[in-house]
């Protein structure tokens, strides 16, 4: 008599992966699980739920595992709504350098969503935040980048903010930046780096026009 084949054993989830319910409530619960793999799967799946942005941001701030943080940041990039953008901007005020830099990188990927916030960021009371905002502009593919930079070097009173802006303006500036660059040199006549960076920006602009 031939051997009978037994019924196939149902496949089981790898521990820590997708044992929780995959609806919104289940994913939010899994996002706070002790197992980092469970949190990572939950964060990935929550990208499909824009209403989860606030929960993802809360977890981002307390998440101890870098791999989970990265997935949360990816999910927030995919969501890209106002809650996500504001939460990432709030990270610019944190002492956590890694999280702050990661937030800057995400904001760089969302030019249209970030643009409405940029005017306020460039006038923030904290000069460090203004510098971070200029850092975001570095990769912000938006038609107003040069306009914002000209405004910074024309109005910002802090030399370090202006130095960061003039460096970038040397890469993206056009003829319309010339007057602002000349004015910047006069405003910070005693600052050698400003003189050097502004002259370099002007030379690059003139070379592009030639």
């Amino acid at each position: 008599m031939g051997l009978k084949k037994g019924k196939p054993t149902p496949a089981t989830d790898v521990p820590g992966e997708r044992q929780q319910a995959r609806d919104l409530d289940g994913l939010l619960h899994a996002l706070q699980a002790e197992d980092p793999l469970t949190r990572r799967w939950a964060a990935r799946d929550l990208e499909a739920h824009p209403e989860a942005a606030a929960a993802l941001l809360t977890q981002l701030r307390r998440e101890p595992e870098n791999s989970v943080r990265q997935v949360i940041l990816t999910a927030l990039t995919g969501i890209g709504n106002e809650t996500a953008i504001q939460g990432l901007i709030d990270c610019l005020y944190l002492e956590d350098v890694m999280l702050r830099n990661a937030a800057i990188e995400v904001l760089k990927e969302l030019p249209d969503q970030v643009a409405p916030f940029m005017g306020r960021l460039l006038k923030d009371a904290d000069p460090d935040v203004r510098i971070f905002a200029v850092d975001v502009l570095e990769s912000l593919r938006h038609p107003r980048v040069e306009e914002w930079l000209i405004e910074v070097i024309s109005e910002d009173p802090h030399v370090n903010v202006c130095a960061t802006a003039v460096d970038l303006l040397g890469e993206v500036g056009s003829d319309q930046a010339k007057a602002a660059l000349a004015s910047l040199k006069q405003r910070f006549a005693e600052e050698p780096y400003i003189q050097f960076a502004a002259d370099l920006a002007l030379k690059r602009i003139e070379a592009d026009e030639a």
Side-chain angles (χ1 to χ4, degrees), residues 13-72:
D13 285 345
V14 175
E17 289 193 4
R18 295 177 177 236
Q19 298 174 347
Q20 302 280 349
R22 309 319 292 173
D23 59 11
L24 177 59
D25 288 341
L27 291 170
L28 291 174
H29 180 73
L31 189 63
Q32 302 178 53
E34 291 187 8
D35 177 36
L37 189 56
T38 299
R39 299 198 302 275
R40 193 160 73 236
W41 277 111
R44 192 180 81 166
D45 289 352
L46 281 169
E47 183 176 341
H49 298 274
E51 63 271 39
L56 286 165
L57 288 161
T58 298
Q59 186 63 32
L60 178 65
R61 288 191 174 218
R62 65 190 179 198
E63 178 55 56
E65 293 287 336
N66 186 57
S67 63
V68 182
R69 275 188 174 189
Q70 293 303 316
V71 177
I72 292 174

Side-chain angles (χ1 to χ4, degrees), residues 89-103:
I89 287 173
D90 290 342
C91 291
L92 302 183
Y93 298 84
L94 300 179
E95 295 296 327
D96 186 330
V97 176
M98 289 184 62
L99 181 53
R100 193 173 65 216
N101 290 341

Side-chain angles (χ1 to χ4, degrees), residues 137-156:
L137 286 180
E138 183 179 358
S139 296
L140 203 66
R141 296 173 293 278
H142 192 278
R144 291 190 62 195
V145 168
E146 184 180 14
E147 175 188 337
W148 282 320
L149 291 170
I150 290 173
E151 185 176 328
V152 170
I153 68 167
S154 299
E155 301 177 5
D156 199 293

Side-chain angles (χ1 to χ4, degrees), residues 173-193:
S174 67
D175 184 68
Q176 65 181 343
K178 283 183 174 181
L181 287 164
S183 177
L184 178 69
K185 290 186 63 179
Q186 292 179 352
R187 198 153 61 92
F188 292 104
E190 303 302 318
E191 295 290 343
Y193 183 77

